Amino acid sequence: MNEKSTPKEIARLTSSLLDETISRQDLVYLNSLLLSSKEHRKKYLEIIQLESLLHWEASDSSVLEALPSKKTETIFFPWISSIAAIFLAIAGSWWSFLHFSSEVDSRILSSFASGTTQDRFVGSYNTTSSSNPNPYRALGNAQFTDVNPLMIANEFATRAMELLSADSHNNGSPTGTLENYGALNSWSRLSDLSVAANSGVLPSRGESMLQFSPLFISMDTQEAQIVETVQVLDVREALKISKKTQLPPLISASVKFNQSHGECQESAEYGLSLSAYRGTEAEEGNRLLHVEKSTSGDLNPSTWHEIRSEIEIPAETDFVVVSLSTRKSGPDALLANTSAYFSDDLELSLSIGNHLEVGPI
Amino acid sequence: MSEKSISFEFSQKLVGIQRPLYSYILSMLPHREDAEDVLQEVNLILCKKTDEYSPTGNFKSWAYNIARFQIMAHITKKKRNRISFSNELVDALAEENTDTDSLHLYQKALQICYELLPEHMREIAHLRFKEECNIKVISQKVGRPLGAVSATLFRIRSNLMECVKIKLSSVELESG
């Protein structure tokens, strides 16, 4: 290639890079071209600057007003007085709008809505696992539906109980991770739901946190809700120790919640549930105990809200299901999915007097 | 977690740096969603580190340093999923100084040039930059082959680059 054609070649390769159509071979070539000369890098950066302005202004809608289509709305929060807060609100809502526009996968919705067989459940899961391991997320933000989110949460719990009772300690399970803590086995979806800093919210601790799936919104009742089964504990062995020692088995749990900026003017209500079941089906008839603690959050993405709970596990319990929920009600509920909802620092522990202490699980 | 107050000056600087900061991130992470994710992370980190900000210090340099760290972390995290530049090139790009002072003029010139695009280019530009459609979706919507759409987008960028260069001088004159 001669010197004269190089800038055009850089422009062509950069264009295909930005459109994600570049081949690995061309990327290597572009990489070498850019490394070889400051002039090449200057040309590349000029194209990037143009691209960033096109992206930025298109998202912001403030400059490219000549565009014939509808504008992306920039959301302002009149109740936030400081410019700093306005900035965060704009940035947060802008980001949320960019990232909550995935399409509804009606096949998945219908598979959850129409039945609860194991095959269907696994099949539905697999349809989304290649790009996104969480089937809820494929539903996007248009979840105006009468599907009961508890039904899906119970489906997760039942599936986990079946896995735990089959003693199939296969860490590659598509529905979560199985872990052993001596006298306690656990199934966890925490890694599947884990995300890094997201939608303007930083993890409370460490580098990741749990993101709730989009809320199910009922137009009739004006309620939005999501229930995530995050952990199922097989307590059968632990309860044998409790029986021998005549000491009560206790489970303690704590978790924090948060939400990103969105269009809602009211904060969400968060819940932590601990449910004890006999058998391997998460059904009302098998439930021996259900304790739910809740708290109200706020609209500030930098503050986390903690819930603590403790239960004494009933004697005939086989499994304890830990679930987290987010709810909104009233007119605001219809806008619930303009925010993203998170939890972090979930800590569980099991104790039987001084004889057994397992945790954090 | 305690809430931190952000000064007016700090927020002004933060708002003012958004466009160049996004461009800086995009140059090393040439994937829109990745760049947006990192921009958001950097903004939050800057807000969290407001205590460390000195009004006499170089805000841009501080922000860019944080961005550079976040970009490297992001590249490491996503390496398996996305093709990316070598670390050596990312370092070289990070060292390049781009003129951000005249970005507002560039922006005005771009607006003029965008309006001058032929209709068929505007349709594709609209789908790509405003609707955020990928090439495949654009190809389906406009009923043209993938290669033709890619070639048109290349020409759109080239036309806009050339046009902005020409219009910049008149925009500068108008702005006094």
Side-chain angles (χ1 to χ4, degrees):
Chain A
M1 182 187 305
N2 61 43
E3 280 302 307
K4 211 172 178 180
S5 68
T6 305
K8 195 172 179 185
E9 190 67 353
I10 289 170
R12 184 187 67 79
L13 292 169
T14 304
S15 188
S16 57
L17 173 72
L18 292 166
D19 293 332
E20 296 177 64
T21 55
I22 196 166
S23 66
R24 192 167 287 275
Q25 195 179 3
D26 276 349
L27 181 76
V28 171
Y29 179 46
L30 177 62
N31 199 95
S32 65
L33 278 176
L34 298 182
L35 270 176
S36 68
S37 150
K38 195 174 176 65
E39 278 306 304
H40 294 170
R41 290 197 290 279
K42 191 180 167 195
K43 173 73 182 172
Y44 169 79
L45 291 171
E46 281 174 8
I47 303 166
I48 290 293
Q49 181 168 287
L50 174 90
E51 188 78 6
S52 68
L53 284 175
L54 285 167
H55 286 186
W56 189 276
E57 305 309 345
S59 303
D60 189 37
S61 82
S62 61
V63 171
L64 298 183
E65 290 173 345
L67 293 175
S69 71
K70 62 184 172 66
K71 292 178 183 177
T72 304
E73 297 294 333
T74 303
I75 303 156
F76 294 95
F77 296 87
W79 64 92
I80 300 173
S81 58
S82 78
I83 285 182
I86 287 172
F87 161 72
L88 286 173
I90 291 169
S93 56
W94 173 71
W95 196 97
S96 296
F97 261 79
L98 288 171
H99 288 75
F100 279 91
S101 57
S102 56
E103 293 175 0
V104 174
D105 186 334
S106 58
R107 288 170 303 159
I108 293 171
L109 179 60
S110 62
S111 73
F112 276 116
S114 61
T116 57
T117 68
Q118 181 175 316
D119 287 346
R120 184 175 290 114
F121 179 82
V122 174
S124 300
Y125 199 95
N126 289 341
T127 58
T128 56
S129 61
S130 61
S131 59
N132 189 336
N134 182 354
Y136 292 106
R137 289 197 187 147
L139 296 165
N141 66 340
Q143 297 198 350
F144 294 97
T145 171
D146 287 328
V147 171
N148 182 351
L150 267 174
M151 184 191 81
I152 299 176
N154 287 343
E155 188 65 42
F156 271 100
T158 299
R159 175 71 176 135
M161 289 178 195
E162 286 169 354
L163 281 169
L164 286 164
S165 64
D167 206 25
S168 58
H169 294 176
N170 171 16
N171 285 336
S173 162
T175 55
T177 308
L178 290 168
E179 292 162 343
N180 176 257
Y181 296 88
L184 189 83
N185 289 319
S186 161
W187 170 91
S188 168
R189 271 180 73 219
L190 295 177
S191 58
D192 285 340
L193 297 171
S194 176
V195 294
N198 205 316
S199 304
V201 176
L202 290 175
S204 165
R205 191 175 57 180
E207 293 181 349
S208 63
M209 56 191 173
L210 180 156
Q211 180 173 3
F212 281 92
S213 308
L215 278 62
F216 289 92
I217 299 168
S218 167
M219 296 287 278
D220 294 337
T221 61
Q222 294 199 341
E223 285 183 342
Q225 185 181 15
I226 186 70
V227 183
E228 301 274 18
T229 298
V230 291
Q231 216 150 349
V232 177
L233 309 177
D234 179 350
V235 296
R236 290 173 293 178
E237 288 301 316
L239 260 64
K240 286 179 188 169
I241 297 171
S242 169
K243 202 173 178 182
K244 272 186 195 168
T245 59
Q246 297 289 307
L247 290 166
L250 300 173
I251 284 191
S252 302
S254 66
V255 64
K256 292 174 182 170
F257 297 92
N258 203 348
Q259 78 171 77
S260 70
H261 280 294
E263 284 187 282
C264 295
Q265 299 183 33
E266 302 289 337
S267 57
E269 186 182 297
Y270 304 106
L272 163 65
S273 297
L274 299 173
S275 307
Y277 287 95
R278 179 176 46 202
T280 58
E281 284 190 30
E283 289 180 353
E284 190 79 30
N286 295 337
R287 200 162 71 184
L288 304 172
L289 178 72
H290 176 75
V291 173
E292 178 166 5
K293 294 277 179 73
S294 62
T295 187
S296 293
D298 61 24
L299 298 170
N300 184 344
S302 66
T303 52
W304 288 83
H305 304 271
E306 187 175 26
I307 300 180
R308 290 178 175 277
S309 185
E310 186 176 81
I311 61 165
E312 182 179 326
I313 308 171
E316 293 177 358
T317 302
D318 292 317
F319 301 98
V320 173
V321 175
V322 182
S323 44
L324 308 176
S325 62
T326 299
R327 286 191 196 90
K328 288 188 80 76
S329 57
D332 244 15
L334 306 180
L335 301 170
N337 286 325
T338 57
S339 294
Y341 304 88
F342 305 94
S343 79
D344 200 4
D345 282 352
L346 174 62
E347 286 189 357
L348 285 172
S349 61
L350 167 74
S351 62
I352 303 175
N354 293 327
H355 292 271
L356 184 68
E357 187 81 40
V358 184
I361 302 164
Chain B
M1 186 185 294
S2 64
E3 291 180 41
K4 289 179 181 175
S5 63
I6 296 172
S7 71
F8 178 72
E9 186 194 354
F10 184 92
S11 62
Q12 269 195 321
K13 288 195 171 177
L14 194 53
V15 170
I17 205 173
Q18 290 303 294
R19 282 167 175 78
L21 185 57
Y22 178 65
S23 182
Y24 178 77
I25 295 167
L26 191 70
S27 70
M28 287 169 270
L29 278 178
H31 182 270
R32 185 175 185 156
E33 285 181 10
D34 287 351
E36 286 163 0
D37 285 351
V38 170
L39 176 68
Q40 193 66 10
E41 288 166 18
V42 172
N43 282 334
L44 264 292
I45 291 169
L46 288 171
C47 288
K48 278 196 150 189
K49 288 180 179 277
T50 181
D51 297 345
E52 296 173 23
Y53 164 67
S54 159
T56 56
N58 187 334
F59 186 85
K60 183 182 161 187
S61 170
W62 181 52
Y64 277 34
N65 274 336
I66 289 171
R68 192 170 169 177
F69 180 79
Q70 290 302 111
I71 290 163
M72 294 309 292
H74 197 89
I75 288 173
T76 307
K77 199 165 68 182
K78 296 275 176 109
K79 208 144 203 168
R80 282 186 213 153
N81 302 330
R82 294 206 196 288
I83 51 175
S84 54
F85 287 142
S86 65
N87 288 351
E88 192 185 0
L89 178 58
V90 171
D91 286 342
L93 289 169
E95 294 302 323
E96 294 290 338
N97 284 317
T98 50
D99 175 21
T100 55
D101 295 337
S102 55
L103 208 58
H104 64 290
L105 298 176
Y106 194 98
Q107 195 174 303
K108 278 186 183 173
L110 177 59
Q111 185 183 355
I112 295 166
C113 293
Y114 198 97
E115 290 179 50
L116 295 174
L117 283 175
E119 189 57 42
H120 76 282
M121 283 192 177
R122 278 178 59 161
E123 184 188 6
I124 289 180
H126 166 78
L127 289 169
R128 181 74 186 117
F129 302 116
K130 192 162 175 67
E131 297 291 329
E132 299 177 34
C133 299
N134 62 33
I135 306 294
K136 198 176 170 186
V137 172
I138 296 172
S139 166
Q140 288 163 353
K141 288 196 173 189
V142 299
R144 295 178 62 196
L146 291 172
V149 172
S150 290
T152 305
L153 279 165
F154 166 62
R155 286 200 299 279
I156 289 169
R157 292 183 177 107
S158 300
N159 285 2
L160 289 174
M161 292 279 293
E162 287 305 310
C163 174
V164 165
K165 272 182 195 166
I166 295 163
K167 296 288 175 193
L168 256 181
S169 53
S170 58
V171 169
E172 272 171 351
L173 279 174
E174 280 171 24
S175 303

